[in-house]
Amino acid sequence: MPRKAAKKPPSSAKGRSKPVKRTGRSKTGDTRKVVEAGSQARPQEPKPASQPARLVMQPPLRRTSEIIRTRARFTDPMRAANEYSNVRDLIQGQAAKHGARTFLVFEDDGREYSFLQLDEQTTRAANVMLALGATRGARVALLVNNSPEYVFAWLGAMKAGLVAVPLSTDLSTDELRQALQDCGASLLLISREFWPRAEALRGELAGLQAVAFVGDGPQGVMLESTLPSAGLADPAKLYDFTACGRQASLELKTPVPHQWDEAQIAYTGRALPLPQGAILQQRQFLTSARCLSTAVGLNATDRLMCCLPLFHVNAQVPTLFAPLALGGSVVLFSEFSVSRFWPAVERYRVTAVSAVPAMLGILTERELEGARLARRDAAAGVWPACHESPGALRQQSDAAAREDGLARGHDISSLKSIVCGAAALPRPVQLAFEKCFLVPVLEGYSLAETTGFATLNPANGTRKIGSVGRPLGDKLAVWDESRPLRPLEGDWTHKSFLRANPAVFPTADTNQRGELCIWGEGTLKEYYSRPDVNPRVFAGGWFHSGDLGHMDADGFAYVLGRRGEFIERDGDFVSPREIDEVLMRHELVETSTTIGLPTADGSRQQVTTFVILRKDSFESGRDGGRLPASEEQRTDMLTRLKAFAALHLTEKKRPNAIVLAAQLPTDATGKTRVHILKRQGTDAYQRV
């Protein structure tokens, strides 16, 4: 039978239950007493006179922008403390901890250096620079190819409290003059390949005290190999940096740098009339390395590979400072080599690589081309099918693939992830690479001004293809440009109240387009000697990147392009990246770059897309089949590309003109130099 429900105690007139009787044993006997629970209660106070009921107003619903804006208030995004506070303590501490363990392997000749040797070599390099006349805070310019000596000189400058100024190796003579004059370099460390550009500039650099060659000197040039006494270097002589280093002391007597001392000036903005030098501080390198290592899941057993030039922050933090801080190791390339990439992964059991989109595209295209030939020789049919990848063709006995350095001829199972930044990573490139090599790519948003990656896609599987991920340590917000910000005034260094405690930031709504702004410990101190620029780029206490983008409801950021690269068309703004993403999905398109070029009368801009086709796209074509051999081929390709664009783009976003090219102007990292492309126009290429 169903149990009867228990009876509820009767309610009093006042809506309260009657006092409950409890029984208990007395202290003196076994007799039981009945105690009224409410007998000893305090007398009730008289009830106040009834008041008229008040209308309770519900708070209005908060907009998404207000919620995000509240989150953007000042909090310390770098709550975890670094183990070391400056570069000298980091190198010396890791040398004491790891000793003879290998830290650096030079892929070109197989040289290996331990943590202890790194400490010794950086100390020698620091003492050489001090002997050549550099004093605390002096700028040391480096125009050197990737090598262990570059690592020793670059870290040695920071170790001694100097300011390293790594320069791009593809600077022209005029650009080199601008950079050296702007930073006021006291020393110039240079490789012999770049001496013809710098030789004529020596007389124009008033503050330059000495020039030293890293590696062999130019043919027919006598180098001074004797280490001078401190501060007595002869400006007229050229010094052998390596030979002087052998004579340098292993004791560094300069004061230990402070964590907020300036460590590096990284020049960026080559499209500007005068590039800007971002000042980065000692602590920022350590913090950025820690945040990146945590996000990617790196530890002391990982071995990273550095194929990017060392003047680039994507090589400095992920593949040098991260393994140095963790106790891992790094394989250093003098330059990126597509034929030696996968053999090095197999030989050294590399676990992670920092790359740029151009590298991923080159590796994928070469692997696909080799696999197509292998499948064509092995069996009839078209390769790859929708379910196949070169991994299905992997054969360790395939001598031809192994000799060519293809991934299918090598064991690449140690490679866990690729970290990619510095430029927009097109979805087709990322998807093709991952399908080809079965290695995940973590795209991020990296700038010289943010000491590397400000955001990154998580490594735990919650990635979003096309997004640059979530903030790592710094805060990122999208500025609602309808609410203007006042430029900073007065002292706005990292210790300033305005800089360290920014006001509530006017953040845009979810998926609303605006300028990406970053605040946190990783952002630059300032642009060197730019008093007219700094207050504007730090308006509101946040660094304004100049990139437009938006953020979704999950906190993932999306970069749409630079502010000046958007194309105005019929009252609307067209994103070049959106057009490039679509065209690169075409089976014959390898690279696409869209820019806005003025019409003949200059009244408006027209959308112009430069396309590099894959090899053998044209039968008997020029430049490996990338360019047509006849007008009929040209017309047919134009029809196919226009039809493809019409399927995926609205009429406003379709390109007015398509230009076929065998190659486009790029920098040392493979990024297309849009400002040069705009200056050249279509005259230097073949219009379709």
Side-chain angles (χ1 to χ4, degrees):
M1 295 179 61
R3 298 180 61 183
K4 295 182 179 180
K7 293 184 178 180
K8 296 182 179 180
S11 301
S12 63
K14 295 182 180 180
R16 299 176 182 174
S17 60
K18 292 182 178 180
V20 180
K21 295 182 179 181
R22 297 182 300 179
T23 60
R25 188 176 297 275
S26 66
K27 296 182 180 180
T28 57
D30 295 333
T31 58
R32 303 176 65 88
K33 290 185 177 180
V34 178
V35 182
E36 285 283 338
S39 61
Q40 298 180 359
R42 295 181 180 179
Q44 296 183 357
E45 298 179 359
K47 185 178 179 181
S50 60
Q51 298 179 356
R54 291 183 300 176
L55 181 62
V56 179
M57 299 293 294
Q58 294 292 334
L61 294 177
R62 300 170 67 189
R63 294 192 311 157
T64 304
S65 61
E66 294 176 346
I67 297 175
I68 299 177
R69 197 175 301 128
T70 303
R71 295 174 185 167
R73 288 179 182 273
F74 171 78
T75 55
D76 184 9
M78 308 293 184
R79 288 183 289 273
N82 296 324
E83 184 177 2
Y84 305 100
S85 62
N86 58 73
V87 176
R88 184 190 295 190
D89 289 346
L90 170 66
I91 296 175
Q92 293 177 345
Q94 295 299 77
K97 185 183 299 184
H98 302 290
R101 279 186 55 192
T102 299
F103 166 70
L104 177 64
V105 179
F106 192 39
E107 190 273 342
D108 286 41
D109 55 19
R111 282 183 289 164
E112 296 188 7
Y113 296 89
S114 65
F115 284 89
L116 189 60
Q117 290 173 317
L118 176 70
D119 184 26
E120 295 175 352
Q121 294 296 331
T122 52
T123 299
R124 291 183 186 274
N127 284 323
V128 170
M129 288 181 273
L130 295 173
L132 292 177
T135 57
R136 188 179 181 88
R139 274 77 64 195
V140 179
L142 294 97
L143 188 60
V144 184
N145 286 321
N146 283 14
S147 63
E149 290 74 20
Y150 190 120
V151 177
F152 303 149
W154 178 60
L155 293 177
M158 299 184 188
K159 194 175 184 180
L162 309 177
V163 181
V165 187
L167 300 175
S168 175
T169 54
D170 63 349
L171 291 178
S172 65
T173 302
D174 292 337
E175 291 173 328
L176 180 60
R177 178 189 294 106
Q178 285 182 342
L180 292 176
Q181 290 179 343
D182 184 70
C183 71
S186 298
L187 298 179
L188 173 61
L189 307 183
I190 190 170
S191 296
R192 63 178 179 179
E193 297 91 331
F194 314 116
W195 178 239
R197 306 181 205 170
E199 184 177 10
L201 304 178
R202 293 181 67 188
E204 305 177 29
L205 306 174
L208 188 63
Q209 300 182 17
V211 177
F213 283 87
V214 178
D216 298 332
Q219 188 174 4
V221 176
M222 184 66 67
L223 300 183
E224 179 62 47
S225 59
T226 303
L227 183 67
S229 301
L232 298 179
D234 187 353
K237 293 182 179 180
L238 301 176
Y239 289 87
D240 187 336
F241 189 81
T242 306
C244 291
R246 300 190 191 101
Q247 309 166 35
S249 171
L250 288 175
E251 182 182 2
L252 190 57
K253 297 182 179 180
T254 58
V256 177
H258 188 267
Q259 61 179 349
W260 293 119
D261 282 353
E262 297 176 1
Q264 175 172 288
I265 297 177
Y267 276 91
T268 182
R270 293 180 62 181
L272 301 174
L274 183 62
Q276 300 170 159
I279 299 179
L280 304 178
Q281 298 153 308
Q282 298 253 344
R283 177 186 170 96
Q284 292 175 319
F285 284 97
L286 280 64
T287 302
S288 295
R290 172 174 54 80
C291 293
L292 180 67
S293 302
T294 303
V296 181
L298 301 177
N299 55 53
T301 64
D302 284 301
R303 172 163 283 180
L304 289 90
M305 190 159 70
C306 178
C307 302
L308 296 174
L310 283 172
F311 65 78
H312 201 281
V313 71
N314 274 27
Q316 297 170 355
V317 174
T319 54
L320 275 182
F321 267 101
L324 178 58
L326 292 171
S329 57
V330 56
V331 178
L332 178 65
F333 275 65
S334 60
E335 60 182 356
F336 171 65
S337 171
V338 66
S339 61
R340 305 202 314 265
F341 186 90
W342 298 116
V345 170
E346 179 189 62
R347 178 181 179 184
Y348 297 107
R349 307 303 297 163
V350 174
T351 58
V353 178
S354 178
V356 293
M359 288 173 52
L360 304 185
I362 293 172
L363 289 169
T364 305
E365 181 61 26
R366 188 170 185 270
E367 194 73 25
L368 291 175
E369 182 181 0
R372 290 190 191 99
L373 294 175
R375 182 60 179 264
R376 191 179 305 148
D377 295 340
V382 179
W383 190 94
C386 60
H387 63 282
E388 291 180 316
S389 72
L393 293 178
R394 180 178 298 164
Q395 299 175 4
Q396 296 299 325
S397 60
D398 190 345
R402 190 169 183 84
E403 184 178 353
D404 292 340
L406 298 176
R408 64 185 178 87
H410 294 82
D411 180 11
I412 63 172
S413 58
S414 63
L415 188 59
K416 297 186 296 185
S417 61
I418 301 282
V419 179
C420 186
L425 175 60
R427 288 184 181 90
V429 173
Q430 180 174 356
L431 294 175
F433 181 90
E434 293 184 349
K435 178 183 177 181
C436 191
F437 304 108
L438 308 180
V439 177
V441 178
L442 307 179
E443 184 184 3
Y445 181 52
S446 64
L447 300 170
E449 291 90 342
T450 57
T451 326
F453 286 92
T455 68
L456 190 71
N457 270 277
N460 60 1
T462 57
R463 299 178 301 155
K464 289 192 177 183
I465 305 298
S467 166
V468 293
R470 293 172 172 169
L472 286 184
D474 293 355
K475 289 183 176 294
L476 183 138
V478 181
W479 174 33
D480 182 359
E481 300 184 29
S482 64
R483 305 177 62 187
L485 291 170
R486 187 180 65 180
L488 261 59
E489 299 176 357
D491 178 22
W492 46 270
T493 62
H494 67 278
K495 295 181 180 179
S496 170
F497 175 79
L498 286 175
R499 181 76 183 279
N501 188 10
V504 176
F505 195 74
T507 308
D509 285 327
T510 300
N511 295 323
Q512 178 184 350
R513 189 181 72 184
E515 185 176 10
L516 299 179
C517 300
I518 304 100
W519 176 88
E521 186 177 314
T523 55
L524 74 162
K525 175 183 177 181
E526 62 178 344
Y527 285 122
Y528 181 75
S529 187
R530 296 291 186 275
D532 55 334
V533 175
N534 289 322
R536 174 168 44 84
V537 298
F538 284 105
W542 291 58
F543 168 68
H544 293 246
S545 66
D547 291 319
L548 298 182
H550 62 86
M551 188 176 294
D552 65 13
D554 297 325
F556 282 78
Y558 296 80
V559 180
L560 302 177
R562 297 291 296 174
R563 178 183 294 277
E565 294 178 0
F566 278 72
I567 306 169
E568 186 176 1
R569 188 177 188 184
D570 298 334
D572 198 2
F573 286 92
V574 179
S575 170
R577 180 174 181 178
E578 184 178 355
I579 300 174
D580 296 335
E581 292 268 358
V582 169
L583 287 177
M584 289 185 67
R585 284 154 51 187
H586 193 281
E587 59 182 356
L588 295 179
V589 176
E590 181 178 314
T591 303
S592 173
T593 302
T594 301
I595 61 174
L597 293 177
T599 56
D601 57 2
S603 59
R604 57 188 178 88
Q605 286 186 319
Q606 65 175 6
V607 181
T608 306
T609 302
F610 293 80
V611 172
I612 297 179
L613 299 177
R614 302 187 187 279
K615 288 184 178 180
D616 301 324
S617 295
F618 296 103
E619 186 177 355
S620 303
R622 295 176 288 117
D623 290 287
R626 298 182 188 272
L627 296 179
S630 63
E631 191 63 30
E632 290 76 14
Q633 290 182 341
R634 186 194 314 276
T635 304
D636 179 64
M637 182 58 66
L638 172 62
T639 303
R640 295 169 65 180
L641 292 177
K642 281 191 172 183
F644 187 83
L647 286 175
H648 302 90
L649 294 171
T650 61
E651 187 175 357
K652 281 187 177 182
K653 297 179 180 179
R654 297 171 193 168
N656 300 106
I658 299 177
V659 178
L660 295 182
Q663 59 182 3
L664 297 175
T666 58
D667 59 14
T669 61
K671 185 177 180 180
T672 303
R673 302 187 67 180
V674 176
H675 64 287
I676 295 181
L677 201 57
K678 288 183 177 180
R679 187 166 62 245
Q680 291 176 342
T682 60
D683 296 337
Y685 302 91
Q686 191 167 2
R687 182 184 292 271
V688 178

